[in-house]
C-alpha cells in the first residue's frame, strides 16, 4: 500500500502546487469493501470546494495515464481539515503550540485520549502541556495525534 501512496504523492505534488495548494497527505484505504484514494490538500486561508475540484480535474488524467492502482477505486480530493492528523516531523514543527488530542494504543492510568497544547516532538515522542504540566508520550504509545479546535 505505501508504494501506491508514494507514487501518488510524487504524481500529485506538482499538480497540487500548480493549483496554489500544498499536498498534505495521500491515503489509499479499504472501507466497506471498496478502495478509496484520497488526496488531502491545504493552503493559507483554507481550501475551497473550487480548489478541490481544480486539483481533482487536473490530477485525474495524470492518474489515468500513469495507472498506479490496478484495481478500481474511488478518487477523492479533500481539505486536510481543521482537525487534521499530524504525521510528519514537519507537521509537529508547524503546529507547535496548537491544541491537540493524543490517542494512545493502550490506556495510561485508565485514559487513552489526552488533550493539551503541543509542546514538543522528538524522534516520535510527543509532549503536550496540560494544565500547567508537561506530559510526554513515547513513540510506541502514540496511535494518533490530531489538531483539535478548542471550545
Amino acid at each position: 500500500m505505501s508504494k501506491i501512496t508514494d507514487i501518488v504523492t510524487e504524481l500529485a505534488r506538482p499538480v497540487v502546487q500548480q493549483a496554489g495548494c500544498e499536498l498534505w497527505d495521500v491515503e489509499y484505504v479499504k472501507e466497506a469493501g471498496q478502495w478509496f484514494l484520497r488526496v488531502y490538500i491545504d493552503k493559507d486561508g483554507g481550501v475551497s470546494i473550487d480548489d478541490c475540484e481544480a486539483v481533482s480535474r487536473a490530477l485525474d488524467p495524470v492518474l489515468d495515464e500513469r495507472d498506479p492502482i490496478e484495481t478500481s477505486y474511488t478518487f477523492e480530493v479533500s481539505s486536510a481539515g481543521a482537525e487534521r492528523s499530524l504525521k510528519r516531523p514537519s507537521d509537529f514543527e508547524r503546529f507547535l503550540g496548537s491544541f491537540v488530542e493524543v490517542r494512545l494504543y493502550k490506556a495510561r492510568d485508565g485514559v487513552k485520549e489526552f488533550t493539551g497544547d503541543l509542546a514538543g516532538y522528538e524522534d516520535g515522542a510527543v509532549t503536550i502541556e496540560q494544565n500547567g504540566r508537561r506530559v510526554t508520550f513515547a513513540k510506541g504509545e502514540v496511535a494518533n495525534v490530531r489538531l483539535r479546535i478548542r471550545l
Side-chain angles (χ1 to χ4, degrees):
M1 286 335 141
S2 65
K3 184 171 170 89
I4 289 172
T5 59
D6 292 344
I7 292 168
V8 173
T9 296
E10 283 182 38
L11 296 172
R13 183 167 279 118
V15 173
V16 170
Q17 288 173 341
Q18 179 116 22
C21 298
E22 170 191 353
L23 180 64
W24 182 261
D25 197 12
V26 174
E27 68 178 13
Y28 182 60
V29 294
K30 192 172 191 175
E31 294 176 359
Q34 185 175 356
W35 285 99
F36 290 85
L37 174 64
R38 294 190 179 111
V39 173
Y40 295 97
I41 61 174
D42 193 24
K43 80 173 187 184
D44 289 339
V47 172
S48 71
I49 189 74
D50 293 334
D51 295 320
C52 294
E53 181 181 3
V55 170
S56 179
R57 287 184 189 273
L59 185 54
D60 193 42
V62 173
L63 293 172
D64 284 347
E65 182 180 316
R66 280 291 303 269
D67 201 20
I69 303 171
E70 295 175 10
T71 60
S72 68
Y73 61 92
T74 299
F75 173 53
E76 300 174 348
V77 176
S78 175
S79 164
E83 293 191 335
R84 68 191 70 181
S85 289
L86 305 181
K87 298 179 179 180
R88 298 170 297 273
S90 60
D91 300 344
F92 288 90
E93 184 178 315
R94 178 176 174 181
F95 290 101
L96 200 62
S98 297
F99 190 63
V100 297
E101 175 187 79
V102 178
R103 290 187 183 190
L104 305 180
Y105 289 112
K106 292 171 67 177
R108 181 192 275 192
D109 300 324
V111 180
K112 286 183 80 170
E113 296 176 5
F114 294 81
T115 57
D117 295 320
L118 181 61
Y121 179 83
E122 187 174 334
D123 298 325
V126 177
T127 301
I128 62 171
E129 187 161 317
Q130 187 181 58
N131 301 322
R133 68 182 186 101
R134 289 183 174 233
V135 182
T136 299
F137 306 95
K139 180 180 181 178
E141 290 181 281
V142 178
N144 185 281
V145 178
R146 177 178 297 278
L147 292 175
R148 284 291 181 221
I149 296 172
R150 192 185 312 260
L151 299 176

